[in-house]
Amino acid sequence: MSANQSSDIARACSECTACCDGWLRITVRGQDVSPGNPCRFSVAHKCSIYQDRPVDPCQQFICGWLADNSPLPEWMRPDKANLILLASNFQWRGVPVHVAVAVGARPKEKAINWLKEFCRQSQRPLIFQTDGEWIAYGPPQFQTEMAERLSSGRNPWT
Ligand code: SF4
Ligand code: SF4
């Protein structure tokens, strides 16, 4: 979405268009983009209106892999890892929670295992999406609260 070409950010989206292709629910020029319903401007792994793409959400969005000083390794680019990390997406008891949105049916197992270990070491809870469900990873109380939110029809971050 944001093919960041700033000199102080080493990474660029290149041919990744994971956030344009419906895995994140966004609205682009009045079109709802959702799973199975990619942005109509995403053509052959490129944004066909790149110079004129909307500021919100396109220019403003930077995923956890693209972010400056991202801890994610190169191979975790969203279209390769099958997940988009939204780092510190919300807080649980004052602790930032990472959210990993699936690209396709489910993230690659290697990527989820890497993310779990990273979250364990950094003591950040994690919510990740797989096969259409949200899975909570972290302290037992966190898992319980997330399960309660989900069972009552809420999103984990509300
Ligand atoms: S998911 Fe990240 S790397 Fe991929 S296009 Fe979006 S911002 Fe760029
Ligand atoms: S307008 Fe371009 S950058 Fe924005 S979602 Fe569509 S393809 Fe991606």
Side-chain angles (χ1 to χ4, degrees), residues 50-70:
Y50 184 73
Q51 297 302 331
D52 298 319
R53 70 200 191 288
V55 171
D56 180 12
C58 306
Q59 294 186 40
Q60 290 177 342
F61 180 75
I62 295 178
C63 74
W65 179 88
L66 185 66
D68 199 10
N69 299 318
S70 171

Side-chain angles (χ1 to χ4, degrees), residues 90-119:
F90 68 102
Q91 293 207 338
W92 174 75
R93 299 188 182 183
V95 181
V97 178
H98 293 335
V99 174
V101 176
V103 171
R106 66 193 69 87
K108 295 227 171 109
E109 190 175 350
K110 179 182 174 188
I112 278 297
N113 287 340
W114 189 96
L115 208 48
K116 284 180 176 175
E117 180 60 18
F118 171 71
C119 288

Side-chain angles (χ1 to χ4, degrees), residues 22-33:
W23 309 114
L24 292 183
R25 293 177 183 273
I26 54 176
T27 302
V28 179
R29 292 193 179 171
Q31 179 204 356
D32 288 332
V33 174

Side-chain angles (χ1 to χ4, degrees), residues 68-90:
D68 199 10
N69 299 318
S70 171
L72 300 191
E74 191 67 22
W75 61 265
M76 289 271 285
R77 198 177 76 183
D79 60 328
K80 297 177 180 173
N82 287 6
L83 68 83
I84 302 170
L85 180 67
L86 308 175
S88 305
N89 188 257
F90 68 102

